[in-house]
Amino acid sequence: DTGVSQDPRHKITKRGQNVTFRCDPISEHNRLYWYRQTLGQGPEFLTYFQNEAQLEKSRLLSDRFSAERPKGSFSTLEIQRTEQGDSAMYLCASSFPGVGYGYTFGSGTRLTVV
Amino acid sequence: RKEVEQDPGPFNVPEGATVAFNCTYSNSASQSFFWYRQDCRKEPKLLMSVYSSGNEDGRFTAQLNRASQYISLLIRDSKLSDSATYLCAVNKRANTPLVFGKGTRLSVIA
């Protein structure tokens, strides 16, 4: 297993456009998380799944953001009508459930909205 | 009070020095505690879990103080390659996502 994969690595888009990111977790992990990170800040939680069920969404996640994990394997994060404030690194992570299991992060998708 | 707080630093230390970082958390129900390392423009990588009894991995020692609600990371004999940002991560309670601090930047100087 090659770890958590994210695609694309970089995305530049014009304000108002829609973007979609993909995350392939470690296959044995049934939990998948999306975080967002901006310069000088720690990762901020957005949402997470256990298998295909979306268990929690942050209040930070406006209705322009939607995430899916249709078959409990890969996940997509879509941002509609992008704004400049959406520019950030979007990080995906996966883990086993339960106390004591740390997360393995992917390399992230860096989004720049111009 | 923020859920997870760290001194942003930077901590500038000479090679061979011992350096310690603390991270305070606000929720007494927190059960999972971790330290991550993040290099510039890279993803966070798990450095170590933090156990109630404290734990050590080579030059790194992590401790948990539940009474005062903080975790610590001690790095002995600092190497140039230890230069990075160190993030603490804590959950609010069992089976909830990790909340990350803003990180503490460490520069080890030759």
Side-chain angles (χ1 to χ4, degrees):
Chain A
D1 194 293
T2 56
V4 179
S5 299
Q6 291 190 247
D7 184 71
R9 293 291 301 274
H10 304 275
K11 178 72 177 178
I12 299 175
T13 191
K14 291 184 178 178
R15 193 173 48 185
Q17 298 293 304
N18 299 344
V19 294
T20 300
F21 311 141
R22 177 179 170 125
C23 172
D24 287 85
I26 292 172
S27 55
E28 296 85 1
H29 289 174
N30 58 4
R31 285 209 172 165
L32 184 151
Y33 309 84
W34 286 100
Y35 283 79
R36 177 172 68 189
Q37 188 175 26
T38 54
L39 198 61
Q41 304 295 313
E44 289 180 303
F45 169 73
L46 295 178
T47 189
Y48 88 103
F49 295 83
Q50 178 153 312
N51 301 312
E52 65 275 9
Q54 188 172 20
L55 296 188
E56 187 175 336
K57 294 198 300 186
S58 165
R59 284 170 292 176
L60 294 175
L61 213 64
S62 78
D63 55 9
R64 296 185 297 106
F65 288 70
S66 61
E68 292 184 339
R69 194 181 183 199
K71 296 181 181 178
S73 55
F74 73 92
S75 175
T76 57
L77 178 68
E78 181 182 18
I79 310 174
Q80 296 183 326
R81 305 182 302 281
T82 51
E83 301 172 357
Q84 286 191 317
D86 297 331
S87 296
M89 174 75 89
Y90 289 82
L91 293 161
C92 176
S94 68
S95 78
F96 292 111
V99 173
Y101 290 105
Y103 301 168
T104 302
F105 281 89
S107 300
T109 293
R110 185 169 296 281
L111 173 67
T112 303
V113 181
V114 298
Chain B
R1 183 179 174 183
K2 290 185 181 176
E3 290 176 297
V4 180
E5 287 197 82
Q6 296 182 253
D7 180 344
F11 283 60
N12 298 315
V13 302
E15 269 187 295
T18 296
V19 62
F21 313 131
N22 284 344
C23 166
T24 58
Y25 61 95
S26 61
N27 199 316
S28 60
S30 296
Q31 294 194 2
S32 294
F33 308 89
F34 300 95
W35 284 102
Y36 281 77
R37 172 195 168 122
Q38 186 170 30
D39 293 294
C40 190
R41 301 182 77 82
K42 299 280 193 179
E43 75 274 21
K45 293 194 173 169
L46 181 63
L47 182 64
M48 55 199 303
S49 303
V50 187
Y51 302 122
S52 298
S53 54
N55 47 299
E56 192 174 301
D57 183 2
R59 298 181 294 110
F60 297 83
T61 300
Q63 291 193 312
L64 167 62
N65 185 317
R66 283 196 182 274
S68 300
Q69 293 184 201
Y70 73 88
I71 62 173
S72 63
L73 178 69
L74 181 81
I75 306 175
R76 288 182 299 279
D77 188 23
S78 299
K79 312 289 185 194
L80 294 175
S81 57
D82 294 333
S83 297
T85 296
Y86 291 83
L87 299 161
C88 65
V90 179
N91 66 356
K92 292 182 192 179
R93 57 190 182 280
N95 275 321
T96 59
L98 293 175
V99 178
F100 285 81
K102 291 187 176 183
T104 297
R105 195 152 56 91
L106 171 67
S107 290
V108 181
I109 304 160

